[in-house]
Structures are given as structure tokens and as C-alpha cells.
């Protein structure tokens, strides 16, 4: 995969272990992210994905579990033709604590996947299926909102 470093001080995307699906991306900035706030953060890299693939930007589970750091539009979509800097819209989901990020910290991970590129043909009817138009919990088994002891 061809990759450009737009910020020479930032390491290339790294696959920490051979076979890892995600390659980690780093922040180009120091950042204080208060509880509930979001910010678009540069990663200092640009890539040339092959047509027929997509880059998906996922959060890192450790930061999510330890600090509540996530990504607003997870997974972010990197189109094959995109040549700009990959950016990450970080959000602090912790209810009270500020998250401190330093330049060079690994803040997200990039996955590259094959993707279908179908054309769309308008029709009057779609074929019947067992699910039909049922969705949004139609099969049951949802969690109950509120306190189950009350009422
Ligand atoms: O987390 C992300 C998501 C997107 N992008 C870049 C690459 C992607 O190819 C482009 C457009 O993304 P998307 O299609 O999700 O955003 P949009 O709001 O639809 O913008 P556009 O009108 O440019 O497609 O922005 C990122 O750098 N990081
Ligand atoms: Mg778009």
C-alpha cells in the first residue's frame, strides 16, 4: 500500500503484531478532550487504497475501555480515491474525566477491506423474504429500559 507521510515526525502506520487486522494511526497534535467533547484530529498520513477496497477507521478498544475514547463516525470510511490526510473525529464518552492525548499517541486503527461497488437498478417490487419489512427489534430480545424493579 502506498503511503505518504504528510508530517515527517509521525511514524508510518504500524501493524503491532503480524496478522493484526488493524494498523494503528497516530495523533499529530497534543490534545485535551474534556468529557463529552469531540475534535477532528490529523494522523499525518495519506494513502492510495486500491479500487475495490475501503479503509475503515475504528477506535482502539484499550482506550475505549480505559478512558472512554471513541470516534463519532465509527467506523470512518476512507474512499479508495481519497488522497488527503486521514483524520479521526475523536470523542470523549467519559461522563466526567478529560482525556489527554500527546502527539504520536496511537489513537485509532485503519482496517482495509474488499468492498462491492454495485450499480443500482430501480424496480417496482423486491423479492419476498422471511424477514420482509420487519426490523428494529421485530425479532424481540431487547434490553428493558429503566429500572426493572420499579412498576
Ligand atoms: O474518519 C474519516 C472519514 C472520512 N475521511 C475522509 C476520507 C473519505 O474518503 C472522505 C469522505 O468521507 P465521507 O464520505 O464519510 O464523508 P462525507 O461527509 O460524505 O464527505 P464527502 O462529501 O467528501 O464524501 O473523508 C477521513 O479522513 N476520516
Ligand atoms: Mg461521502
Amino acid at each position: 500500500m502506498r503511503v505518504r507521510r504528510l508530517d515527517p515526525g509521525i511514524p508510518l502506520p504500524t501493524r503491532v503484531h503480524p496478522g493484526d487486522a488493524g494498523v494503528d494511526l497516530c495523533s499529530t497534535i497534543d490534545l485535551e478532550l474534556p468529557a463529552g467533547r469531540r475534535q477532528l484530529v490529523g494522523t499525518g498520513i495519506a494513502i492510495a487504497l486500491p479500487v475495490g477496497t475501503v479503509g475503515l477507521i475504528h477506535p482502539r478498544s484499550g482506550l475505549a475501555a480505559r478512558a472512554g475514547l471513541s470516534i463519532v463516525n465509527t467506523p470512518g470510511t476512507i474512499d479508495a480515491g481519497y488522497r488527503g490526510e486521514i483524520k479521526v473525529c475523536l470523542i470523549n464518552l467519559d461522563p466526567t474525566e478529560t482525556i489527554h492525548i500527546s502527539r504520536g499517541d496511537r489513537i485509532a486503527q485503519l482496517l482495509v477491506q474488499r468492498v462491492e461497488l454495485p450499480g443500482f437498478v430501480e424496480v417496482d417490487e423486491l423479492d419476498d423474504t422471511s424477514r420482509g419489512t420487519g426490523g428494529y427489534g421485530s425479532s424481540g430480545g431487547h434490553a428493558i429500559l429503566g429500572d426493572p424493579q420499579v412498576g
Side-chain angles (χ1 to χ4, degrees):
M1 170 95 59
R2 283 165 294 153
V3 52
R4 278 188 70 207
R5 241 192 294 195
L6 307 174
D7 180 332
I10 293 294
L12 285 172
T14 49
R15 181 169 281 113
V16 176
H17 298 288
D20 280 0
V23 292
D24 289 342
L25 303 174
C26 299
S27 172
T28 54
I29 58 166
D30 295 326
L31 176 65
E32 305 264 298
L33 202 56
R37 301 299 297 272
R38 68 177 186 269
Q39 185 164 329
L40 196 58
V41 175
T43 66
I45 67 146
I47 58 175
L49 287 160
V51 172
T53 68
V54 61
L56 299 176
I57 307 294
H58 288 261
R60 294 186 63 207
S61 61
L63 288 170
R66 274 189 283 111
L69 186 69
S70 192
I71 296 172
V72 175
N73 57 318
T74 178
T77 303
I78 309 299
D79 297 292
Y82 181 67
R83 297 291 177 268
E85 181 181 17
I86 295 178
K87 295 182 181 175
V88 182
C89 192
L90 293 177
I91 185 163
N92 179 357
L93 295 179
D94 191 273
T96 55
E97 298 297 316
T98 294
I99 296 175
H100 307 270
I101 291 164
S102 300
R103 174 175 158 81
D105 283 354
R106 291 176 287 137
I107 51 166
Q109 55 187 323
L110 167 72
L111 278 70
V112 178
Q113 295 190 345
R114 289 201 188 88
V115 68
E116 301 292 333
L117 302 172
F120 290 86
V121 179
E122 187 177 10
V123 295
D124 291 328
E125 298 289 339
L126 299 172
D127 58 310
D128 284 334
T129 67
S130 149
R131 174 172 285 275
T133 58
Y136 300 94
S138 66
S139 68
H142 356 271
I144 295 160
L145 289 173
D147 186 344
Q149 307 302 321
V150 174

